[in-house]
Structures are given as C-alpha cells and as structure tokens.
Amino acid sequence: MKVGPIEGTKEEITGFFQDNGLKVSDYFQLPEAPLKAVWLVLPAFLIIVALGILTLAEPLSTGQRMFVFLVGGTATIWLAVGVQLRFKNSWATGIVAIGGVLVLLVAHGDLSPMQMFNEVRSSVRK
C-alpha cells in the first residue's frame, strides 16, 4: 500500500502514525458528499417557470414582470453555484450563468433573439 510518500503494509503505515503520535484524521479527509440533484432541478424548474411567465403572460404590470425576472435571475445564480459545487467546472458554470441571463433578457423583452445571437457570436470570436 502506498499513501503519499509513505509505502508499506497497512500495519506498517498504522504503526508509523501511532509511533510518532500522529492522528490519521489530521492527514486524510473523507470525500465530500456530492450535491444532490434536487439542488439543480429546483432552480432549473424556477427558471423555466419564470421564462414561461415572462413569455406567455402578457397582461402583467411592470412591477410583476420585474419580480418574475428577478426570481429567474436569482434561480440562475443558484443554478450556476450548484453546477460549480457539483461538477467543479468553471466553463459549465459560466455557460449556465451567462446563458441564463441572456435567455431571461430575451424573455423579458430587453433583448431580441437576433441581438442575443450576435452578442454571443461576437464574444466567441474574441
């Protein structure tokens, strides 16, 4: 068995730690439990609901539309953090965050779909 720079049998390694007054728990940590899927599904569901309300419910006041947009934005941040904690991949986190904000802006009416594609295309080329 090899543990870092130490090589030997299980008994030798255990004896080494005990003979030197070391605690094994100070050197080894249990792996973190992965983030449960519900913490990714719930914000994704909230984003889909916000997109549906922004695109399908026309007679909303400006305040109501802003509230739904902010709920969708908060859920996008929540989803991006969840993706980072679960997968530890900064590319995936960035795509989720930027993509979520762009789609919410289109649904809110602040950005046209063509403008969104042009912005994405110009940022990819840089």
Side-chain angles (χ1 to χ4, degrees):
M1 179 197 301
K2 185 173 182 176
V3 180
I6 303 170
E7 188 171 351
T9 65
K10 180 179 176 183
E11 293 78 22
E12 289 174 332
I13 294 173
T14 305
F16 172 79
F17 277 96
Q18 290 174 348
D19 292 344
N20 291 303
L22 303 172
K23 294 181 183 176
V24 176
S25 62
D26 291 341
Y27 296 94
F28 302 108
Q29 297 176 353
L30 292 174
E32 293 180 20
L35 190 66
K36 299 203 186 264
V38 70
W39 294 108
L40 299 174
V41 172
L42 188 59
F45 176 75
L46 288 174
I47 292 169
I48 291 169
V49 168
L51 291 173
I53 291 172
L54 287 173
T55 55
L56 300 175
E58 282 299 317
L60 293 177
S61 71
T62 305
Q64 291 169 332
R65 290 181 64 79
M66 182 59 69
F67 177 76
V68 172
F69 179 79
L70 291 175
V71 168
T74 304
T76 301
I77 293 169
W78 181 7
L79 182 61
V81 169
V83 166
Q84 179 61 32
L85 291 175
R86 174 84 184 251
F87 302 108
K88 296 178 180 25
N89 186 332
S90 57
W91 280 99
T93 303
I95 289 169
V96 167
I98 293 170
V101 170
L102 287 175
V103 171
L104 280 170
L105 285 171
V106 169
H108 193 254
D110 295 330
L111 197 62
S112 74
M114 198 59 180
Q115 287 174 322
M116 180 186 72
F117 288 126
N118 289 336
E119 289 295 324
V120 170
R121 187 179 310 136
S122 68
S123 65
V124 170
R125 288 183 183 169
K126 291 182 183 179

